[in-house]
Amino acid sequence: MLVTQESVVTEAQNGVGWIKLNRPHALNSLNVEMVAAIYKQLKDWKQDSRIALICIYGEGEKGLCAGGDMRTLYDLKENGVEAYAEQFFSTEYPMNYEIHRYPKPVVVYMNGIVMGGGVGLSIGASHRIVTETTKWAMPEMNIGFFPDVGASYFLNQMPGYIGRYLALTANIVKASDVLYTGVADCYLESKNWPKLRQAMMEKIWSLDSAEQEINQLLKQYSLSSSPPSSLLSSEQEKIDQHFQFETIEDIVSSLNTTAEKGDKWAEKTVNTLLSKSPTSLKVTLHQLQEGKDKQLYDCFEMEMNVAMNFMKCHDFYEGVRSVLVDKDRAPKWNPAVLEDVSEEHIASFFHYSWNNEQNPLTTLTGNKKYSC
C-alpha cells in the first residue's frame, strides 16, 4: 500500500508505518500540505491495529528537516499571512503534540540537519536516533522569531540552563550534545541506517512486542558506535553561571564581566547574543520562564499566540529577509537595542485577538508521553 503526497511519502509494510519527508531540494522544510499529510497519517495509523510501529525520516543525505517554510510566510506578508500562519501553526503544533502522546513506538532518524520544525517532529518520539552528521538547533533567533514547536516545554527539561543557552544563541550542536541534553536516545553511524531500515522492513511487527523488538534492533546496530564526548557537558558550569539570570540585560552583563577578564567563550557568546533581535531575545526568555511550570499542551497554546503576533512583527520579516531572501546576514532590528524593548511590548506577544475569540489549540488536552 503506497500513498504519495506532493512532499510526503507514506507506506505501510509488515506492521511499520513509514513517513518520508520528500522535499530534499528544500532540506525537507515543512509547509502546510506536509504537516497536514503527516498529521492525518498519524491519526489514521493510531487507530489501525495492523500498524505496530511508526518510522519518520527525510529523503536525501542532508537532513531530516531544516524547519518550517518561513519563506512562504515572508512572501505573504502583504497578502494573507495571518490566515496562512494560523492554518500552518494550528496544524503543525497538534501534529507535534500527537507524536508526544502517541500510543505506539515512533522512531525518528535524525540524520544531518534537524532544526526548528525538524526538532518538533523528533522531540516527542519514543526512539530518536542521531548520527555523526546530526546538526541540531533551534535557529529561530537568527530570523527574528522564537523557538516554538513545544520548545517552551522541552528546553526547560534540559540540564541546568542549557535550554536557555541554545534558545538564545541558536547554536548548532552535534550528536553527543543532543544525547547529553536528553533530546535523543540512540547513536547510530549513518552507514548502518540502510541495514537497520532493511531489518525493520523485513521483520513482521506486532503491537504486543514492537517496543521490545525495536529496542533490541537499535542496540544491535548501534553496539559498535559511540559519539565523542559532549562539548556542552564541559561548558555546563559556564552556561549555568551566566544564563541563570532573569533578564537578558543581566545575562549580557554577566558575560561581559567575564569576557573583560579574557574569557573567549564569554566574549563569543555575548557577541552572538547581541547580534540577535532584541525583541526576539526578550520574548524568548519570557517564553521559557512562562513555560517552566506549564504542561506541554499549555505551552503549545501559549506558543500559538506568540507565533501569530510575530506575523505582525518587523523583526521577523527583517530576519527572514537577511537569512533566506537577500542572504546578506545584516538585519536591521527595530528596536535595535535591548533597552528600547519595553516589558509592555513583550507582554503583548502572549495575547492574540482570535476571530472567534478562542485560540485553536485550547482543545489540546492531556500530557501522556509514550516512554520506551
Side-chain angles (χ1 to χ4, degrees):
M1 180 177 67
L2 184 66
V3 181
T4 305
Q5 300 284 348
E6 180 181 338
S7 302
V8 175
V9 177
T10 64
E11 181 180 6
Q13 181 179 337
N14 290 345
V16 180
W18 298 90
I19 297 177
K20 179 173 72 172
L21 279 60
N22 194 36
R23 203 177 172 218
H25 64 282
L27 298 176
N28 297 320
S29 60
L30 299 168
N31 56 30
V32 166
E33 292 74 25
M34 292 175 74
V35 295
I38 295 167
Y39 189 26
K40 180 181 184 303
Q41 193 62 76
L42 286 170
K43 288 189 290 185
D44 288 348
W45 280 341
K46 182 167 66 173
Q47 307 299 331
D48 191 337
S49 61
R50 297 168 298 177
I51 300 298
L53 178 76
I54 307 294
C55 184
I56 302 173
Y57 67 105
E59 176 63 23
E61 298 296 320
K62 292 186 177 180
L64 169 69
C65 175
D69 188 353
M70 295 301 179
R71 175 61 192 262
T72 297
L73 293 169
Y74 176 91
D75 290 341
L76 291 171
K77 178 183 178 182
E78 307 297 339
N79 185 25
V81 66
E82 287 186 61
Y84 180 89
E86 181 176 345
Q87 182 186 9
F88 178 74
F89 294 121
S90 65
T91 307
E92 183 188 25
Y93 294 173
M95 180 266 289
N96 296 150
Y97 184 68
E98 183 72 29
I99 295 172
H100 277 272
R101 59 201 295 268
Y102 212 67
K104 302 174 182 181
V106 178
V107 178
V108 182
Y109 181 56
M110 300 165 62
N111 194 49
I113 294 171
V114 184
M115 298 184 183
V119 173
L121 276 174
S122 63
I123 192 72
S126 58
H127 298 74
R128 303 161 299 183
I129 306 168
V130 288
T131 77
E132 75 282 359
T133 72
T134 297
K135 295 179 180 179
W136 188 103
M138 294 301 289
E140 291 81 3
M141 212 59 52
N142 296 328
I143 57 168
F145 197 50
F146 77 109
D148 61 337
V149 296
S152 314
Y153 182 83
F154 67 75
L155 289 177
N156 276 311
Q157 309 305 310
M158 292 182 173
Y161 291 96
I162 283 180
R164 280 190 187 182
Y165 167 76
L166 292 177
L168 297 171
T169 62
N171 281 355
I172 298 170
V173 295
K174 297 185 178 180
S176 56
D177 291 324
V178 185
L179 290 163
Y180 175 72
T181 55
V183 292
D185 309 292
C186 175
Y187 180 80
L188 180 79
E189 291 183 6
S190 57
K191 67 181 181 182
N192 289 329
W193 166 244
K195 302 172 190 174
L196 171 61
R197 186 163 173 259
Q198 188 64 31
M200 291 174 66
M201 293 178 74
E202 292 174 352
K203 193 174 188 62
I204 305 297
W205 296 85
S206 68
L207 282 169
D208 293 339
S209 60
E211 179 189 356
Q212 180 183 355
E213 293 185 351
I214 189 60
N215 287 341
Q216 290 173 347
L217 266 185
L218 288 175
K219 186 175 182 181
Q220 175 186 339
Y221 283 95
S222 62
L223 270 178
S224 62
S225 56
S226 59
S229 59
S230 165
L231 179 62
L232 283 179
S233 68
S234 67
E235 296 173 344
Q236 177 87 59
E237 188 175 344
K238 287 183 176 181
I239 290 170
D240 290 349
Q241 175 189 345
H242 299 295
F243 284 81
Q244 65 177 305
F245 299 102
E246 297 305 307
T247 69
I248 297 295
E249 288 88 344
D250 284 345
I251 292 171
V252 168
S253 176
S254 178
L255 287 164
N256 273 329
T257 299
T258 303
E260 288 166 3
K261 297 175 182 175
D263 188 304
K264 296 300 182 184
W265 179 91
E267 180 183 1
K268 180 180 179 182
T269 302
V270 76
N271 287 337
T272 297
L273 289 179
L274 294 176
S275 71
K276 311 304 183 188
S277 157
T279 299
S280 288
L281 288 170
K282 288 197 170 185
V283 168
T284 297
L285 182 58
H286 186 72
Q287 163 206 358
L288 293 176
Q289 291 163 341
E290 288 289 307
K292 194 168 185 178
D293 298 318
K294 289 184 183 295
Q295 297 293 317
L296 178 61
Y297 55 88
D298 291 325
C299 287
F300 275 119
E301 184 179 350
M302 174 179 71
E303 290 173 11
M304 187 76 197
N305 286 329
V306 178
M308 292 303 296
N309 279 309
F310 265 103
M311 297 303 101
K312 301 181 285 185
C313 179
H314 164 274
D315 281 10
F316 170 67
Y317 298 101
E318 177 62 7
V320 174
R321 180 205 64 76
S322 72
V323 174
L324 300 176
V325 182
D326 298 335
K327 301 180 181 180
D328 58 17
R329 299 278 175 168
K332 292 180 172 56
W333 308 122
N334 184 24
V337 294
L338 291 166
E339 293 75 16
D340 290 345
V341 183
S342 70
E343 291 301 315
E344 292 75 19
H345 182 55
I346 297 311
S348 72
F349 278 83
F350 294 81
H351 304 278
Y352 183 78
S353 298
W354 297 97
N355 288 332
N356 62 357
E357 299 183 357
Q358 181 171 302
N359 184 315
L361 299 194
T362 55
T363 55
L364 290 181
T365 57
N367 194 28
K368 176 181 176 295
K369 172 72 168 71
Y370 183 91
S371 58
C372 59

